[in-house]
Amino acid sequence: MSTARPRIAVVGAAAAGLAAAEGLRRLGWDGEITLVGDEPHLPYDRPPLSKQVLSGAWEPERTALRDTAQITGLELDLRLGTRARAYDPAQRTLTLDGDGQSDLRCAGVIAATGVTPRALPGTAGVQGVHLLRTLDDALRLRGRLALPGRRLVVVGSGVLGAEAAAVARTLGHDVALVGTQETPMQRVLGAEVGGLLAEAHRAHGVSLHTGRAVTGITERSGRVSGVVLADGTVVEADDVLVAIGSVPAVDWLRGPGADAAGLDLSDGLGCDEFCAAAPGLYGAGDVARWYHPVLRRHLRIEHRMNASEQGLAAARNLLAELDPERFGERRPFTPVPYFWSDQYSLKLQAYGVLAGAERVQVLRLDKDPLRLAALYGTSDHATGALAIGLPPRQARSLRALVATPSPWPEATARLAAAVEG
């Protein structure tokens, strides 16, 4: 008779995966927990990579989410430097690359594999072309920015690209920011606020190439020397950072059992309001697209706060599925999404959902430094709020405007009151 303890596998050892593993232990799971991570490092925090680590203000050790003793205390079966190759939802069997043992039989699995950055076609093997997703990525680019007088071209003007451009410019380098949208972070912030952010970057000396597509690179002796725009313009570069988005890391879930289990992998791992994708399979963090019953829409959020909150929620609901008498009923995951970004001395803080807004109202409070509050929403309801340069208390007060979808006229009136208060 087998005496093996039941196992839950958490695939992905970043913020969401660690939160799930800690949540399982805190909630009382006394079986095995296998935590799988494709990097060799213990779980670390990603947001500082494009800011404090890249600038040199933090050493890598400071990004650690927990120290070795805390990880040891979780009594994990820790598989670092290991990739998940396949998962069979019907058999609940997880196959790992490079694992000498047989496939792992699991009571449940939490998928927290995050995303994979998109590369610029035609740049494989070219020196000086960088991605910025991992700690090792950040340290490689940091090493280049430690040299004087670099010319850095950042391809992609979303959050990551804008943050990295700000860091490199603050370090004194020549920086060009190239993006297909008309303003930095326009997809999230909209044209008006994006335009104000563009002014801030120009004021700091960043050369903006907006509404411009990149068609290729130039190189000399295997090292990048420039970026070619659609109109034939060449922007010279010593280094290029590619920040053109990412794709959810779900390839390990594409297998013979995926269709049979009804897995939706069209944009990440499709989950219900409990973060469940199939019996015994839950999603958390950047890879998970789940139904938000308050906002009445599916969301996939690539932000740090969501990763931690959803990791814990997935752990709680998986345990409730496995043993409802012991762990209680499952609970819908209904957070108020939150993200922040630091660029120069500006702190951007956003609550709710900003992207895809049909209407935006902006209250400009100061031009230099930029201070504003903005409300985002549909024709009927407010769905998101943004603060730039506001004191913490005022910024936090905007959360209440979108904790539940508020009628637009009521929310706009409360916006002004929150800022004045």
Side-chain angles (χ1 to χ4, degrees):
M1 179 176 177
S2 173
T3 60
R5 299 163 68 197
R7 179 194 310 271
I8 291 177
V10 180
V11 186
L18 178 62
E22 290 183 323
L24 291 169
R25 283 290 183 240
R26 189 181 311 127
L27 293 166
W29 176 256
D30 53 6
E32 293 280 359
I33 300 176
T34 297
L35 181 61
V36 182
D38 60 0
E39 296 182 61
H41 309 291
L42 289 174
Y44 63 85
D45 212 9
R46 294 193 191 277
L49 301 184
S50 60
K51 299 180 279 288
Q52 293 92 339
V53 173
L54 190 60
S55 70
W58 285 18
E59 291 306 313
E61 296 76 16
R62 193 168 174 181
T63 67
L65 289 169
R66 302 290 182 269
D67 61 30
T68 302
Q70 291 170 316
I71 296 295
T72 301
L74 294 173
E75 298 182 349
L76 302 175
D77 170 26
L78 193 59
R79 311 287 184 99
L80 297 179
T82 302
R83 290 181 179 273
R85 186 168 74 237
Y87 177 62
D88 184 334
Q91 300 298 320
R92 302 198 185 189
T93 301
L94 178 67
T95 303
L96 303 180
D97 266 339
D99 184 72
Q101 302 179 24
S102 59
D103 296 343
L104 302 180
R105 293 296 300 272
C106 304
V109 168
I110 297 175
T113 40
V115 295
T116 301
R118 290 190 176 97
L120 193 63
T123 61
V126 179
Q127 296 182 44
V129 178
H130 303 265
L131 299 173
L132 185 47
R133 174 66 182 173
T134 69
L135 179 59
D136 293 338
D137 292 338
L139 293 176
R140 276 191 291 270
L141 182 54
R142 177 168 116 171
R144 294 291 294 172
L145 296 182
L147 303 172
R150 296 291 89 192
R151 296 171 300 174
L152 176 69
V153 176
V154 180
V155 181
S157 57
V159 178
L160 177 62
E163 289 181 345
V167 167
R169 186 70 195 110
T170 301
L171 292 173
H173 301 295
D174 291 334
V175 179
L177 182 60
V178 181
T180 56
Q181 298 183 345
E182 296 299 324
T183 68
M185 295 180 62
Q186 181 173 332
R187 187 186 67 81
V188 176
L189 302 182
E192 182 178 356
V193 178
L196 297 175
L197 189 60
E199 291 178 9
H201 278 277
R202 289 192 184 99
H204 283 84
V206 173
S207 174
L208 293 182
H209 299 266
T210 58
R212 315 287 286 279
V214 171
T215 59
I217 61 170
T218 60
E219 57 179 289
R220 299 190 189 98
S221 302
R223 171 166 283 280
V224 69
S225 60
V227 167
V228 183
L229 306 185
D231 62 1
T233 300
V234 176
V235 184
E236 295 185 346
D238 300 306
D239 289 273
V240 173
L241 171 61
V242 179
I244 55 175
S246 55
V247 293
V250 295
D251 284 350
W252 62 286
L253 292 166
R254 300 186 192 278
D259 291 339
L263 297 188
D264 177 3
L265 304 176
S266 57
D267 176 24
L269 177 62
C271 301
D272 63 14
E273 66 269 32
F274 304 109
C275 306
L281 175 62
Y282 287 70
D286 298 3
V287 75
R289 176 173 49 83
W290 90 102
Y291 182 74
H292 195 302
V294 175
L295 298 177
R296 291 177 292 182
R297 59 189 291 188
H298 281 86
L299 298 177
R300 190 174 66 80
I301 298 178
E302 297 182 24
H303 297 305
R304 170 68 171 79
M305 188 67 70
N306 183 75
S308 294
E309 292 179 348
Q310 197 166 25
L312 177 58
R316 179 187 298 114
N317 286 334
L318 172 57
L319 291 178
E321 177 191 318
L322 296 177
D323 190 346
E325 290 189 6
R326 180 180 177 190
F327 297 107
E329 296 183 352
R330 298 190 301 170
R331 306 177 199 169
F333 181 55
T334 59
V336 177
Y338 170 76
F339 81 87
W340 75 94
S341 176
D342 296 318
Q343 299 174 38
Y344 310 109
S345 61
L346 301 177
K347 178 171 282 293
L348 291 70
Q349 298 183 77
Y351 297 92
V353 178
L354 280 60
E358 298 173 11
R359 59 199 303 180
V360 181
Q361 178 164 320
V362 181
L363 295 180
R364 293 186 61 178
L365 306 173
D366 203 348
K367 181 178 180 180
D368 187 19
L370 180 62
R371 293 177 60 243
L372 64 81
L375 197 67
Y376 296 73
T378 66
S379 57
D380 298 321
H381 294 90
T383 61
L386 171 72
I388 299 181
L390 296 187
R393 181 182 62 82
Q394 285 186 324
R396 287 194 299 270
S397 71
L398 301 183
R399 182 185 186 279
L401 304 182
V402 295
T404 57
S406 302
W408 184 260
E410 174 188 332
T412 54
R414 292 171 61 197
L415 175 69
V419 172
E420 292 171 0

